[in-house]
């Protein structure tokens, strides 16, 4: 069980993308059903509530302009990985999302990020890379290639630990694990291979272990700033356990965006800018 925490919030800079063109027009993960359709105005309202919540918690939010024909661009976390102001770009696994990589990298360059890297290997940004105080956890199995882990490690100068995802419902690391305060995590063991479960138990013996029920509503696709946790409203048991540990929990309704397999973290890319 994760250790209790204090109230040490870290103010952050987030990048988000308005779901102007959000739709489910293809199926590249088990959550997507093109025949079911989406309510785009409702998705927009839910996204705006998430953005406004981030702002109300004292965080800065920048926005990248959505591109027509890229309905998944709303999931900004997949657009790159930013550590100490250095940007490791995304190279998407599916043809449908491939143009998102250059679109996000273009935003970073125009925003003044001088150190950017167009990747050689397939990776989907913070979808499969989670940065903690001392290490970056990185997943492979469905989207990101293991070779991208070494590429990111060399460029960012941070140690990267490779984990293997095995359940297609949890196709990105950020659907199965999220960072809490400092060097602590919450995760669903069933999303990982037996070897990766051993690695996680060794590195994080006090981690908060989520149930399949909470994972199945993307409860682990959450955003934590060290004090506040923004989490899927349906993940009630996980929310209760976080409150016991001293976190302030903010449930959000994002079920319309979940039709494409995304939640609060998918919509939120953390810009870990270089210290000034």
């Amino acid at each position: 069980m994760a250790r209790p925490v204090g109230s040490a919030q870290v103010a952050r800079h987030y990048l988000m993308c308005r779901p102007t063109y959000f739709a489910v027009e293809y199926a590249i993960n088990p959550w997507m059903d093109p025949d079911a359709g989406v309510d785009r105005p409702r998705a927009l309202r839910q996204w705006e509530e998430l953005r406004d919540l981030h702002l109300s918690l004292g965080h800065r939010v920048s926005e990248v302009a959505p591109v027509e024909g890229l309905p998944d661009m709303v999931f900004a976390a997949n657009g790159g990985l930013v550590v100490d102001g250095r940007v490791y770009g995304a190279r998407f696994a599916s043809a449908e999302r491939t143009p998102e990589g250059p679109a996000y990298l273009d935003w970073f360059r125009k925003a003044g990020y001088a150190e950017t890297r167009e990747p050689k290997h397939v990776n989907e940004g913070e979808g499969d890379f989670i940065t903690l105080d001392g290490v970056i956890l990185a997943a492979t199995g469905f989207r990101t290639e293991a070779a991208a882990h070494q590429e990111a490690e060399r460029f960012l100068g941070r140690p990267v630990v490779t984990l293997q995802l095995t359940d297609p419902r949890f196709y990105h690391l950020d659907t199965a694990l999220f960072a809490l305060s400092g060097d602590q995590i919450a995760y669903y063991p069933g999303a990982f291979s037996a070897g990766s479960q051993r690695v996680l138990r060794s590195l994080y013996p006090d981690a908060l272990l989520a149930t399949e029920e909470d994972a199945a509503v993307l409860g682990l696709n959450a955003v934590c700033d060290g004090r506040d946790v923004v989490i899927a409203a349906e993940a009630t048991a996980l929310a209760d356990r976080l409150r016991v540990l001293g976190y302030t929990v903010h449930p959000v309704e994002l079920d319309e965006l979940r039709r494409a397999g995304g939640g609060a973290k998918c919509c939120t890319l953390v810009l870990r800018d270089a210290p000034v």
Side-chain angles (χ1 to χ4, degrees):
M1 174 63 71
R3 294 184 298 273
V5 299
S7 57
Q9 183 205 44
V10 178
R12 288 185 169 163
H13 183 190
Y14 295 141
L15 181 63
M16 300 182 70
C17 181
R18 183 177 296 271
T20 304
Y21 305 110
F22 176 66
V24 177
E25 299 173 343
Y26 45 78
I28 57 173
N29 66 55
W31 302 84
M32 303 178 83
D33 180 3
D35 294 331
V38 299
D39 183 339
R40 188 179 292 163
R42 187 165 185 266
L44 178 57
R45 288 194 299 272
Q46 292 182 342
W47 180 89
E48 288 177 339
E49 288 171 1
L50 174 64
R51 179 205 56 196
D52 292 348
L53 175 58
H54 286 328
L55 291 170
S56 74
L57 294 175
H59 304 298
R60 176 185 172 195
V61 176
S62 294
E63 293 186 31
V64 57
V67 176
E68 189 171 6
L70 299 179
D72 282 338
M73 197 169 168
V74 60
F75 301 125
N78 304 155
L81 173 65
V82 184
V83 178
D84 297 329
R86 309 186 82 190
V87 181
Y88 179 58
R91 188 182 185 95
F92 285 83
S94 63
E96 293 89 346
R97 298 195 68 183
T98 295
E100 293 182 41
Y104 273 98
L105 205 54
D106 182 62
W107 182 90
F108 283 114
R109 288 167 174 161
K110 289 179 178 178
Y113 289 83
E115 294 187 85
T116 63
R117 173 66 59 87
E118 185 173 351
K120 294 181 180 179
H121 301 287
V122 171
N123 83 89
E124 299 197 352
E126 277 198 328
D128 275 326
F129 289 96
I130 293 179
T131 304
L132 291 98
D133 284 355
V135 70
I136 297 173
L137 299 180
T140 188
F142 297 104
R143 300 289 182 87
T144 297
E145 297 173 346
H149 300 176
Q150 286 74 54
E151 185 178 32
E153 184 176 74
R154 289 191 297 269
F155 176 64
L156 298 171
R158 294 280 191 101
V160 174
V161 174
T162 294
L163 302 169
Q164 183 83 27
L165 294 169
T166 57
D167 187 327
R169 293 175 298 171
F170 311 112
Y171 57 94
H172 276 151
L173 183 59
D174 71 358
T175 65
L177 182 153
F178 73 96
L180 291 168
S181 56
D183 235 354
Q184 193 53 271
I185 64 170
Y187 70 99
Y188 169 54
F192 298 91
S193 68
S196 293
Q197 290 182 42
R198 289 193 293 271
V199 169
L200 288 169
R201 286 197 300 269
S202 175
L203 291 175
Y204 306 102
D206 297 320
L208 175 59
L209 303 183
T211 65
E212 182 175 6
E213 290 74 17
D214 282 328
V217 293
L218 293 183
L220 289 156
N221 196 248
V223 182
C224 179
D225 62 15
R227 181 191 68 194
D228 299 282
V229 181
V230 180
I231 190 172
E234 297 86 351
T236 54
L238 181 57
D240 287 344
R241 295 173 69 193
L242 287 163
R243 291 186 183 100
V244 169
L245 290 172
Y247 293 94
T248 302
V249 177
H250 304 271
V252 290
E253 298 281 354
L254 289 171
D255 55 290
E256 202 62 39
L257 291 166
R258 193 163 60 235
R259 292 177 181 272
K265 181 65 189 77
C266 284
C267 294
T268 308
L269 173 59
V270 183
L271 303 180
R272 294 177 177 83
D273 299 330
V276 294

